């Protein structure tokens, strides 16, 4: 949850001015009454500082996905991790066709590896 704190610059207070006409300056025999008026000012839209503070601290740290792990492991819709079988790159003459076709399929990654895979794929929806 984030809180918003706004600090505004100081707005000057409205001032009271007196308007007077003295007879000495203007040559008027009867000096008029002093008139006090208050000038209406609109709030200043001057410098407003905006600070966003979050309950979980400073924002900005992002986790990076290990690209080698992203190419090796795929996450299924149910959240399980599948990986390719090993042993399909070479020496296939001595392997039977049934064995080679089984090696072509993906299989579930062992449960012992899921903690490491979670660390390598931080944004994957793993079970």
């Amino acid at each position: 949850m984030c809180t918003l704190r706004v600090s505004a610059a100081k707005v000057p207070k409205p001032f009271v001015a007196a308007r007077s006409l003295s007879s000495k300056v203007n040559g008027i025999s009867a000096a008029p009454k002093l008139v006090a008026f208050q000038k209406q000012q609109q709030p200043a839209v001057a410098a407003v500082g905006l600070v966003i503070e979050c309950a979980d601290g400073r924002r900005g740290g992002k986790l990076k996905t290990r690209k080698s792990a992203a190419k090796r492991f795929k996450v299924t819709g149910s959240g399980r991790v599948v990986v390719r079988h090993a042993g399909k790159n070479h020496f296939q003459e001595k392997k039977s066709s049934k064995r080679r076709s089984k090696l072509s399929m993906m299989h579930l990654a062992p449960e012992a590896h899921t903690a490491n895979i979670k660390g390598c794929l931080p944004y994957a929806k793993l079970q």
Side-chain angles (χ1 to χ4, degrees):
M1 183 174 146
C2 294
T3 59
L4 185 65
R5 186 179 66 195
V6 177
S7 62
K10 291 184 180 179
V11 179
K13 295 180 182 177
F15 62 92
V16 177
R19 191 185 310 163
S20 66
L21 297 172
S22 66
S23 60
K24 293 179 183 176
V25 176
N26 295 326
I28 302 173
S29 60
K33 296 179 184 177
L34 292 177
V35 179
F37 68 96
Q38 185 174 5
K39 187 177 180 182
Q40 294 179 355
Q41 290 185 347
Q42 296 176 352
V45 190
V48 175
L50 182 65
V51 178
I52 298 175
E53 294 177 358
C54 297
D56 56 348
R58 218 177 108 236
R59 298 269 172 145
K62 293 184 180 177
L63 300 173
K64 291 188 175 182
T65 299
R66 308 278 165 107
K67 291 300 181 178
S68 60
K71 293 169 189 172
R72 287 187 175 101
F73 305 113
K74 302 292 176 218
V75 180
T76 63
S78 61
R80 295 186 176 134
V81 181
V82 290
V83 67
R84 260 187 77 195
H85 274 278
K88 182 82 193 294
N89 284 337
H90 56 89
F91 299 135
Q92 295 180 13
E93 301 139 357
K94 55 179 130 181
K95 296 172 186 164
S96 68
S97 60
K98 179 182 176 181
R99 185 174 165 196
R100 278 184 278 148
S101 70
K102 293 266 187 186
L103 289 175
S104 296
M105 293 186 280
M106 305 282 272
H107 72 282
L108 291 176
E111 291 293 322
H113 295 176
T114 53
N116 287 338
I117 295 170
K118 272 186 185 181
C120 293
L121 306 172
Y123 296 106
K125 306 286 191 271
L126 297 178
Q127 212 177 19

